[in-house]
Amino acid sequence: MALARRGTGLEATARAFLSQVHPVFMLPPLAASLFGALLAGTVDPTRAVVHIVAMFAAVYTAHVKDGYVDFHIRGEDDDHPLTERGCRLALALSTALFAGCCLLLYALVGWLPLALTLPTWVIAYHHAPQLDMNPVTATTGYPLGIALSLLGGFATQTAAIAAVPLGFALVFLVLLSGIKVIDDAQDYDYDRSIQKRTVAVLVGPARAYTLAYGLMTTALLVVVALALVQVFPPTAVLAALAFAAVALVARRATPELATMLLIRGSYVFLAVLVAAVWFEPLTGVL
């Protein structure tokens, strides 16, 4: 049986499998893992790579499962490059890769990074069709995965957890949840027609926007507050200011354009935070 829906042969199959690598949504979890490792101070490259590959496998699983459900089960999407058999094989391969990385993490470090990494696959696999039907889990699934990726990246280096990575994880969870509310608002009409209870469907687009920007504002204020009390580097305030500038522009845009701007703004936010920690290493993290 064919694995790709468009074309036959090795090249067509490879293109179909590679189509499930979506850089816009895949890079933040990988970057969060590396950021968590940098927070540890001294980075063991082998441990860092194993955890980053695990995050790649988890996000790839999410993309394949989401596409499989939306096209082959719900009929929501117009097209999908993989057949049902291709989706199942891709899920099996990504899960096997994830499991292998988890075993390596346990062997190299211990149980803590394993405990922080395993939930990312659970979230990824069950996002569709279970978690994306509830307004809370539909909104927080992806942000929680990134928060866990950051914590897992730190624990992979230290076999411990600390207040600073927890603070950063909380900031990303709240900030990205706000972005996700706006992202979901793009599909308000369709989601309402199939009784998919996103935040926008539950409270209406206008209130959803207010909630979303409230969440993002809260996250930025937390960054500033923690920088003022010297938990975060002082230059972390620059990250908050950079994202705030993007958010002000996005506020007047359509949900689709706002989502694009805010996601890219989150890249800038993370990049400035990485630079802040790189040039001003945090002391007393452990």
Side-chain angles (χ1 to χ4, degrees):
M1 293 179 65
L3 300 176
R5 296 185 63 251
R6 295 189 292 271
T8 59
L10 184 60
E11 184 178 351
T13 301
R15 284 199 305 268
F17 277 89
L18 286 173
S19 70
Q20 300 308 289
V21 178
H22 304 307
V24 170
F25 292 101
M26 189 168 277
L27 287 175
L30 308 189
S33 171
L34 181 58
F35 182 53
L38 290 175
L39 288 175
T42 302
V43 178
D44 182 306
T46 300
R47 295 182 182 186
V49 168
V50 171
H51 189 260
I52 288 172
V53 173
M55 293 302 97
F56 171 86
V59 181
Y60 188 87
T61 297
H63 289 162
V64 174
K65 180 72 181 300
D66 191 54
Y68 170 74
V69 170
D70 286 348
F71 179 74
H72 291 289
I73 295 180
R74 291 174 174 166
E76 185 176 325
D77 289 345
D78 295 329
D79 195 12
H80 193 273
L82 290 168
T83 63
E84 289 190 52
R85 183 169 179 261
C87 289
R88 288 194 291 268
L89 179 59
L91 288 171
L93 292 174
S94 63
T95 299
L97 177 61
F98 181 84
C101 290
C102 285
L103 290 174
L104 281 173
L105 287 175
Y106 181 75
L108 291 170
V109 190
W111 67 269
L112 183 58
L114 180 63
L116 291 168
T117 302
L118 281 174
T120 63
W121 183 91
V122 175
I123 294 169
Y125 187 81
H126 291 288
H127 173 72
Q130 292 89 0
L131 300 180
D132 68 346
M133 297 299 290
N134 180 281
V136 175
T137 52
T139 300
T140 61
Y142 181 72
L144 180 58
I146 290 181
L148 288 169
S149 180
L150 190 156
L151 293 173
F154 181 86
T156 296
Q157 299 296 321
T158 63
I161 204 64
V164 171
L166 280 171
F168 278 117
L170 176 63
V171 166
F172 280 109
L173 175 61
V174 176
L175 182 81
L176 295 174
S177 292
I179 296 176
K180 188 63 169 61
V181 169
I182 293 175
D183 183 30
D184 287 340
Q186 296 182 67
D187 302 318
Y188 169 75
D189 291 329
Y190 180 79
D191 290 342
R192 188 180 180 187
S193 72
I194 63 170
Q195 298 182 328
K196 187 175 181 180
R197 298 174 68 247
T198 63
V199 172
V201 171
L202 190 66
V203 303
R207 289 182 179 177
Y209 259 62
T210 300
L211 174 62
Y213 282 97
L215 287 170
M216 289 184 279
T217 300
T218 299
L220 298 182
L221 290 175
V222 169
V223 171
V224 173
L226 292 178
L228 289 175
V229 298
Q230 299 183 340
V231 174
F232 289 177
T235 49
V237 173
L238 297 177
L241 293 175
F243 186 86
V246 175
L248 286 173
V249 175
R251 179 110 180 140
R252 303 187 181 189
T254 62
E256 183 178 3
L257 179 57
T259 300
M260 183 186 72
L261 290 171
L262 291 169
I263 288 176
R264 284 155 179 77
S266 70
Y267 294 169
V268 175
F269 180 73
L270 177 58
V272 177
L273 287 179
V274 169
V277 172
W278 183 265
F279 291 108
E280 299 179 69
L282 296 163
T283 58
V285 170
L286 300 179

